[in-house]
Each structure stands twice: as C-alpha cells, then as structure tokens.
Amino acid sequence: MIFATTGRAEVLGKVIRRLTDQTRLPDGVLVVGTCPADVAGVEGAYPHLQILLTAKGLCHQRNAGLAALGDKGDVVVFFDDDFVPAHDFLEQVEALMTADTGIVGLTGQLVRDGAQTGSLGFEEAVHQLDVQQERPPAGEARTAWLYGCNMAIRLSANPQLRFDEALPLYGWQEDVDFSSRLAQHGRLYRTAALTGIHLGVRGGRTSGLRLGYSQIANVIYLRRKGTIRFLHGWRILTCNVLANVAGSLTPSPPVDRRGRLKGNLLAMRDLTSGRIDPRRVLGL
C-alpha cells in the first residue's frame, strides 16, 4: 500500500492507524512525503511501515513508492492521505483480484466524496462508516479509469508502468492517464464492494493559480497523448472553467476560484500561442 502525501500529517496518521482494523491487513505500508513535516507523528502508526522522502509531486512520489516496492507484491493499493476506507476494503480487493486474474485495476464507489461536496472531518467519516454502516448501492461495472484517491492495481500486468511526471505537483488527471495505459493489459472495474469516504481535505494541495492552469494544460496534454477520451476531457475542462467563472462572482473560501480562473486564462493564452505545457505551472 502506498500513500503519497504533502502537508497532511495529522489526518494521514489517523488514516494509517485505522488500517489496523482492516479485516485483511496490508502486508506493508509505504508513505512517500517531501519533508519531515509531512510524516510527523506517522512513525509507528502501523507495524510494517516504511517512510520515504523525495521531491514534491504526486506522480513523482507515487513512482518513488513503486520503485521502492520493486517486485515485492502482485497488487498495490494507492490511497490518498485523506481517504478513509471501510474495514473490508483490502479483503474485497484480494477476493476480487484472486477470483478473476483478468482484472488489472479496481476502484471503489464512495459513500461520500468531500472533494466534490466540501471537506469532511475524519471523525464524521468514521461515524458514517462504522456506526451508521453506510454503503453505496451494490453494483459493479467496467470503467475506463480509476479514481486516484482509492485504486488497486495488479503490478504484474505491467511491472514497468509508471505515472507520467510531465504532470507535476498535484498531478491533475494523472489517474485517468495511468488507468488508460493500465487498461491495455486487462479490465478495470468500479465496484461497491470497495468503499470508503474521501475527506477532500484542502490543506496540502497546490495553489488556485497553478491548479487552474493544470485544469486546462493537463487535459490538452492527455488528449494529444491519447490517454483521455475526447468527451471526458471536454466535460472536465468546460465544467471546471464554468465553475471557476461562477465561483469568481461570489467567492467562497477556502476554494480559490479566482485564482483557478486566472490559471485557466493563462493556460488558454498559452494554448493559442502554442506554448501550453503542464510543466509551466512550476514557474507560476
């Protein structure tokens, strides 16, 4: 299991400690941060835990985790540092992957997603999962991409597969790109057997300006690369721009809609001039 983390040590520690209640314990937990503050208090949160420090960037950090893992496992699970899983998440991953070797990737159906509805608290999520025992409606379907906050991949399908580090910092749509390349080797499923709550914690993410640029530049890059479908890419791009326009009229912190809109406009300017590149966010 791999966590790539930046600036969320408190919630990360809670998430990792919760892993001890999984009905199928992880064989090991690898945390990839960028500085000691990212992993403060995480040491000892799980018996088989390893910590790495590397350069900042979601794709780079996940790749560092994969490199450190090597050939030690067949299936690796990626959780965001603010994803709270149901207690049977890993048990269900193992059952599904064992039953059908043609499955190369799994992602869960969420009870709630704070990234879409507004940030949620850890204790609130635990209450919903453990006390109220909320689950999404049963169901399973083939999917074209895995949601990066919770995804399980079969490493043996393509041991050399890595995240595209041309998508820097927050990585925006890196999960779609990775999934598209993984799907060339087998089937991907989104299933209610795997579930949890994505808290959508705001801290640790990239600035509004940079994210806004990535919302345009990354989609254009992946369209040219051929790893994001036209309609999916167009829907993501237009929905985000419209949301940023509307949000700029009535700002509601902590979402920096005006910063994101400014980033959108900078990316559009670079698109018309032929200079658009996801890595330009590093200079903003």
Side-chain angles (χ1 to χ4, degrees):
M1 174 174 289
I2 297 176
F3 291 88
T5 185
T6 304
R8 296 177 179 172
E10 182 178 359
V11 69
L12 173 64
K14 293 178 180 179
V15 168
I16 292 178
R17 289 182 184 91
R18 179 176 168 81
L19 294 177
T20 59
D21 293 328
Q22 284 288 305
T23 54
R24 195 286 189 201
L25 295 175
D27 295 329
V29 177
L30 184 57
V31 176
V32 187
T34 66
C35 65
D38 289 341
V39 295
V42 174
E43 302 89 343
Y46 187 79
H48 307 289
L49 184 142
Q50 180 182 355
I51 293 175
L52 295 177
L53 297 180
T54 187
K56 186 176 183 179
L58 180 58
C59 292
H60 178 77
Q61 289 172 248
R62 283 178 170 168
N63 285 344
L66 287 172
L69 187 63
D71 59 357
K72 296 177 183 176
D74 178 43
V75 175
V76 61
V77 175
F78 289 97
F79 280 169
D80 273 5
D81 50 15
D82 62 343
F83 177 72
V84 183
H87 289 312
D88 63 346
F89 193 103
L90 298 182
E91 178 185 356
Q92 295 293 341
V93 167
E94 184 174 51
L96 290 167
M97 288 285 201
T98 301
D100 188 345
T101 57
I103 296 175
V104 297
L106 294 168
T107 194
Q109 295 182 25
L110 304 184
V111 172
R112 292 181 68 184
D113 186 358
Q116 305 298 324
T117 62
S119 182
L120 307 169
F122 178 84
E123 287 73 20
E124 178 185 3
V126 168
H127 182 78
Q128 284 189 266
L129 292 171
D130 298 354
V131 179
Q132 297 178 338
Q133 297 187 339
E134 293 191 28
R135 306 281 302 204
E140 181 176 285
R142 288 282 296 271
T143 183
W145 57 280
L146 308 176
Y147 190 9
C149 79
N150 74 106
M151 56 185 185
I153 66 169
R154 193 184 299 275
L155 282 178
S156 56
N158 183 354
Q160 305 308 315
L161 187 63
R162 294 293 185 268
F163 292 87
D164 189 341
E165 295 188 27
L167 305 175
L169 301 179
Y170 186 46
W172 188 258
Q173 302 305 310
E174 90 296 333
D175 47 5
V176 175
D177 172 66
F178 186 88
S179 302
S180 177
R181 291 180 285 129
L182 179 63
Q184 297 173 17
H185 305 278
R187 300 187 305 278
L188 310 179
Y189 283 94
R190 183 181 304 271
T191 173
L194 312 179
T195 193
I197 294 178
H198 185 207
L199 301 181
V201 175
R202 300 299 178 188
R205 295 194 174 185
T206 193
S207 71
L209 177 67
R210 284 174 159 175
L211 179 54
Y213 191 94
S214 296
Q215 286 176 336
I216 305 294
N218 290 19
V219 171
I220 298 298
Y221 172 79
L222 296 181
R223 273 300 305 148
R224 291 172 175 172
K225 185 178 176 181
T227 56
I228 191 170
R229 296 179 178 180
F230 174 79
L231 290 179
H232 182 60
W234 179 250
R235 183 171 62 251
I236 292 172
L237 192 153
T238 54
C239 286
N240 280 305
V241 171
L242 291 174
N244 294 337
V245 170
S248 295
L249 300 176
T250 55
S252 55
V255 179
D256 181 15
R257 291 292 181 185
R258 289 181 175 174
R260 292 184 187 184
L261 180 60
K262 183 177 179 181
N264 292 161
L265 296 174
L266 287 174
M268 291 177 187
R269 181 197 66 187
D270 283 356
L271 177 61
T272 59
S273 66
R275 299 188 304 163
I276 194 165
D277 187 311
R279 288 162 291 196
R280 285 180 65 82
V281 297
L282 298 172
L284 298 181

